[in-house]
Amino acid sequence: MTAPAIRLTGVSRRFGRTTALEDVTTEVPSGVVCGLLGRNGAGKTTLMSILAGHDRPSAGTVEVLGSDPFEHAGVMGSTSLIRDNQRYPEDFKLKHVLRVVPRFHERWDAELAAELVDAFRLPSRTTVKKMSRGQQSGLGIVIGLASRAPLTVFDEPYLGLDATARRVFADRLLAARLDDDEGRTIVLSTHLIDEMEQLLDHVVVLDGGRLVRAGTTEEVTAGAHSLSGAAAAVERVAGGRTPLSRHRVGGLLSLVFAGEPPAGLAEEAAAAGVQVAPVGLQDLVAALGAADRSEAPREHEAAAA
Ligand SMILES: Nc1ncnc2c1ncn2[C@@H]1O[C@H](COP(=O)(O)OP(=O)(O)OP(=O)(O)O)[C@@H](O)[C@H]1O
């Protein structure tokens, strides 16, 4: 089995009294597109900075491509971190970026970069600072994909992108994954989960700095289901099971559960007029973010149960 691209053991990051990450232990296999998901403030950007070696944890250990990435020239040279607040000199235009950035990436693909610049219709005369939000995101994607870095980390690559540009990104990401025989790993954070789900091989879900789910997309979503209908009937069919989230509008109640429905649930629900439906990744992540962490089982407790 190939070594994982990322191995986190008990990783915590505190900023004064704020805990951005708490005791995160997980692995991301090499060669996957991994979605780093969770609500605002979940700790995604903090984790990405740590993965790229720009920051280090307050506790725990991080291995990226087999080494501690913090200020490790080898790992930093193999990693491309694309974030929305990337700063360039005031007068930098596209041509300046495309001249400087390849120096940091030995596998830079100039042909792909040129193709993507066209596809995103990036302006050549405007300084980067004055590019629109979507154009700046497009530029980040050009750099991230053309770098062909063994690990590419995109923080919210979709910000401001129009529908056509999002499609270009999705297609190119897919092509990078299919064409790549070098085991390239891509980690990206996004709130547009529905749109990205089909591209994600692996997902890591954080909430309040804690790991709440990790695994292949299929593993994480397997069997997740909701019950909805008249509140009293839904409560009755749910029995004593603790839902991840509950949403009530007037007399209607909807509950989201992780995992497979218990045997006989479908028949019982049908008899009570309660609807049972599968839950996709976006709704599951939303439910995990709505869960009361004091009651919800942590991932390792759930796995042990
Ligand atoms: N440099 C810092 N100093 C103090 N607190 C910080 C710092 N960086 C992050 N935090 C805090 O750590 C927590 C996690 O922030 P982070 O930016 O990692 O979340 P996120 O999941 O990327 O959120 P979003 O989806 O909104 O981008 C937040 O409560 C944030 O306020």
Side-chain angles (χ1 to χ4, degrees):
M1 211 181 121
T2 52
I6 296 166
R7 182 180 278 143
L8 307 172
T9 313
V11 169
S12 297
R13 178 65 168 107
R14 283 176 275 281
F15 296 102
R17 294 166 67 181
T18 304
T19 300
L21 292 172
E22 194 173 359
D23 197 20
V24 175
T25 297
T26 195
E27 290 182 358
V28 176
S30 177
V32 300
V33 177
C34 170
L36 185 51
L37 310 175
R39 295 183 61 180
N40 294 132
K44 304 181 294 295
T45 300
T46 303
L47 182 54
M48 291 182 156
S49 294
I50 290 174
L51 294 178
H54 294 194
D55 188 18
R56 73 191 316 182
S58 316
T61 57
V62 183
E63 261 182 56
V64 170
L65 310 170
S67 303
D68 177 350
F70 186 65
E71 292 183 351
H72 182 295
V75 177
M76 288 175 82
S78 305
T79 305
S80 181
L81 172 64
I82 307 297
R83 57 202 321 178
D84 68 342
N85 59 357
Q86 190 65 47
R87 296 272 172 268
Y88 294 103
E90 292 279 316
D91 57 345
F92 255 42
K93 296 181 179 168
L94 182 62
K95 65 180 178 190
H96 302 113
V97 176
L98 295 180
R99 204 176 294 150
V100 171
V101 170
R103 292 182 202 158
F104 299 97
H105 301 288
E106 58 186 44
R107 288 164 48 182
W108 180 259
D109 184 338
E111 202 177 312
L112 177 60
E115 239 176 75
L116 290 169
V117 162
D118 267 2
F120 286 119
R121 297 188 178 170
L122 297 185
S124 57
R125 293 206 181 94
T126 318
T127 58
V128 175
K129 200 167 172 243
K130 289 193 176 146
M131 284 184 184
S132 71
R133 176 61 275 178
Q135 288 167 338
Q136 290 185 5
S137 289
L139 178 59
I141 291 169
V142 171
I143 296 168
L145 291 180
S147 71
R148 298 180 58 85
L151 174 65
T152 304
V153 181
F154 286 107
D155 195 357
E156 285 284 344
Y158 267 15
L159 280 181
L161 287 188
D162 63 42
T164 312
R166 295 205 301 273
R167 171 68 61 84
V168 169
F169 176 55
D171 288 351
R172 295 307 175 134
L173 198 63
L174 215 54
R177 189 174 59 176
L178 294 177
D179 289 352
D180 198 25
D181 50 358
E182 293 153 337
R184 182 175 179 190
T185 306
I186 294 173
V187 175
L188 59 89
S189 68
T190 183
H191 292 290
L192 292 177
I193 303 172
D194 264 350
E195 207 169 312
M196 295 296 286
E197 179 173 354
Q198 53 162 344
L199 298 169
L200 304 178
D201 306 302
H202 193 92
V203 292
V204 170
V205 187
L206 297 174
D207 190 53
R210 288 182 168 267
L211 180 76
V212 287
R213 286 290 184 284
T216 64
T217 308
E218 290 74 24
E219 282 165 358
V220 168
T221 52
H225 59 283
S226 64
L227 297 181
S228 45
V234 170
E235 295 282 16
R236 204 168 52 246
V237 172
R241 295 194 300 143
T242 308
L244 288 173
S245 72
R246 51 175 61 235
H247 184 62
R248 186 166 181 153
V249 180
L252 296 177
L253 177 65
S254 175
L255 303 178
V256 173
F257 295 90
E260 299 288 342
L265 183 90
E267 296 74 14
E268 199 188 331
V274 168
Q275 204 189 356
V276 187
V279 171
L281 189 59
Q282 174 144 312
D283 288 340
L284 183 64
V285 170
L288 287 164
D292 177 352
R293 295 280 152 245
S294 61
E295 281 178 25
R298 302 254 183 262
E299 193 202 30
H300 59 276
E301 290 163 359

